[in-house]
Amino acid sequence: MKARERVGEGEPQERGKGKIAARMEGREVVLPTVSRIAVCGGTHGNELSGVYLVRERLKRKRKVEEEDHISVVTVMSNPRAVQQCRRYTETDLNRCFTHATLSGPVTDKTPYEIVRSQELNSLLGPKGSPEAMDLVCDLHNTTANMGLCLIAYSDCDWISLHIYRYLQRQMSDIPVRFIHFDLPLNEAYSLESVGKHGFAIEIGPQAHGVVRSNILSAMQEGVQHMIEWVRLFNSGTQFEGGKVDVYTMVKNLDYPRDFETHGITAAIHPQLQDRDFCLLHPNDPVFQTFSGETLKYKGTEPLYPFFINECAYYEKGIALSLARRRSVGIPSIRSEREGEQGKRKSAAEEMEEEEEMEEEMEEEGYQKLMVYGEESESLN
């Protein structure tokens, strides 16, 4: 395939296809315009940057904002939890968007957040369908020192990755990173997975139940740049390809615990606290027990920690998460022009065709080698 041959996206997210992502740099991808965006806050009712951003948008504008052929829907995701300033009322809403949960039966005993997840799926989806929102952006805060992170389930969703790079270039006052959770669409459990494209914007550090002006301002700026990028993309601007760093989650570490009570027996070590995305090497300090002993990282490879000492994850048994950092090639992209609709092949189809050609060429080369070997034997 020629370096600048146009390929299309087809399936919106080609989740988990790292091989495709690694081979797309230098190509041009033509994608449908992004005409419908959802900006959601309050999925966790005590993460107040998203709550106040959504409230301000709803005050200033209609619930559905239409400008430059873009419809932006603003949603308060979990109004009951927001009213109580709690993460959730019965169960974590941001774990309720798997296919199994969204398609499950509802009774009068079903937890509120499961009912709400199905309502949001009807409003913004249905998940995995052509009717789903083109882009869903869900707003979150963390108590960890993570800066601004985009969190998504695909490492080859070119829309999300180009928005990520655009935010990196536009926002010099805060580190901007991309976290990849490698799960298939039906197992993706958070709200942003309902859209054709989607990511969470996670910003910290900010304690839950409070709002910090610098963190709120960074979130407002990030959302504004996201919408700005969509307008540029829809107007025909071509965004050049290149490479971006992606942090793919590998595993979680729990706190050391008492065998009988299961209570924690150590805290994050002072040398690790607030050092999210600083490389953690084997034998580096991780925990400090309540009696003062240092516990070291027993892993076999260096990894990047994030969500270090996140307040909301104590109940989930997570002290920190660990990721590998990879450089991912992204193609040049532009929106499709009039007359190009329906003429695109998916990235997966293009890769499959190319692999078939390579296999045919390898087979042909092997057969030629066999013929050459037979001829050589006949000459001896």
Side-chain angles (χ1 to χ4, degrees), residues 156 212 332 367:
C156 54
R212 291 177 52 174
S332 299
Q367 290 174 352

Side-chain angles (χ1 to χ4, degrees), residues 158-177:
W158 315 133
I159 295 288
S160 296
L161 287 169
H162 271 278
I163 291 173
Y164 158 52
R165 187 162 70 160
Y166 188 75
L167 263 59
Q168 277 189 321
R169 292 175 174 179
Q170 299 297 320
M171 302 179 69
S172 58
D173 294 338
I174 186 170
V176 179
R177 301 181 179 93

Side-chain angles (χ1 to χ4, degrees), residues 106-343:
V106 171
T107 70
D108 56 359
K109 295 183 179 179
T110 301
Y112 165 72
E113 276 82 8
I114 291 179
V115 175
R116 183 61 177 157
S117 72
Q118 296 189 7
E119 292 172 353
L120 290 167
N121 186 51
S122 297
L123 176 66
L124 307 177
K127 179 175 177 174
S129 74
E131 292 78 32
M133 282 282 172
D134 294 319
L135 176 61
V136 174
C137 173
D138 194 25
L139 305 174
H140 289 267
N141 289 120
T142 175
T143 60
N145 187 30
M146 288 171 52
L148 188 155
C149 294
L150 274 64
I151 303 178
Y153 292 98
S154 174
D155 63 354
C156 54
D157 177 350
W158 315 133
I159 295 288
S160 296
L161 287 169
H162 271 278
I163 291 173
Y164 158 52
R165 187 162 70 160
Y166 188 75
L167 263 59
Q168 277 189 321
R169 292 175 174 179
Q170 299 297 320
M171 302 179 69
S172 58
D173 294 338
I174 186 170
V176 179
R177 301 181 179 93
F178 192 99
I179 298 171
H180 167 223
F181 288 168
D182 191 9
L183 290 173
L185 181 60
N186 66 326
E187 296 177 21
Y189 49 76
S190 46
L191 174 55
E192 67 273 9
S193 68
V194 170
K196 293 187 180 77
H197 309 276
F199 50 80
I201 291 182
E202 184 95 43
I203 308 186
Q206 177 174 284
H208 300 319
V210 304
V211 61
R212 291 177 52 174
S213 60
N214 62 321
I215 300 296
L216 176 58
S217 296
M219 183 175 282
Q220 290 169 328
E221 185 180 353
V223 169
Q224 193 55 44
H225 285 312
M226 174 192 71
I227 296 172
E228 181 180 279
W229 183 92
V230 170
R231 289 189 179 119
L232 290 170
F233 172 74
N234 287 351
S235 70
T237 300
Q238 177 166 310
F239 292 90
E240 293 302 319
K243 289 186 179 293
V244 293
D245 286 336
V246 170
Y247 293 84
T248 298
M249 206 274 277
V250 175
K251 60 182 176 180
N252 298 314
L253 294 185
D254 192 7
Y255 294 92
R257 294 182 180 271
D258 184 276
F259 287 112
E260 294 181 359
T261 67
H262 303 291
I264 67 171
T265 59
I268 296 293
H269 195 279
Q271 293 181 27
L272 179 60
Q273 182 63 53
D274 299 325
R275 291 178 57 81
D276 297 75
F277 298 104
C278 293
L279 194 59
L280 182 67
H281 294 88
N283 294 317
D284 282 351
V286 178
F287 300 107
Q288 187 174 75
T289 68
F290 298 149
S291 60
E293 180 187 358
T294 293
L295 304 179
K296 297 182 178 181
Y297 173 49
K298 298 182 185 296
T300 57
E301 65 171 315
L303 293 171
Y304 291 87
F306 63 101
F307 280 127
I308 296 174
N309 205 15
E310 162 58 46
C311 168
Y313 289 176
Y314 277 70
E315 69 174 34
K316 300 182 188 299
I318 299 173
L320 66 151
S321 300
L322 293 169
R324 292 189 186 95
R325 187 176 70 182
R326 298 178 299 119
S327 181
V328 173
I330 59 174
S332 299
I333 67 171
R334 65 171 174 83
S335 59
E336 60 188 4
R337 303 185 183 109
E338 192 173 341
E340 289 182 330
Q341 290 89 342
K343 296 183 178 180

Side-chain angles (χ1 to χ4, degrees), residues 46-63:
N46 59 358
E47 296 177 10
L48 296 189
S49 293
V51 170
Y52 283 108
L53 186 148
V54 164
R55 281 178 176 168
E56 287 302 304
R57 288 183 62 85
L58 292 174
K59 266 191 217 173
R60 292 196 320 268
K61 300 169 183 175
R62 298 186 303 273
K63 191 172 184 180

Side-chain angles (χ1 to χ4, degrees), residues 24-38:
M24 290 301 292
E25 185 188 3
R27 298 179 180 175
E28 182 188 73
V29 175
V30 179
L31 303 175
T33 55
V34 178
S35 58
R36 297 187 304 143
I37 303 173

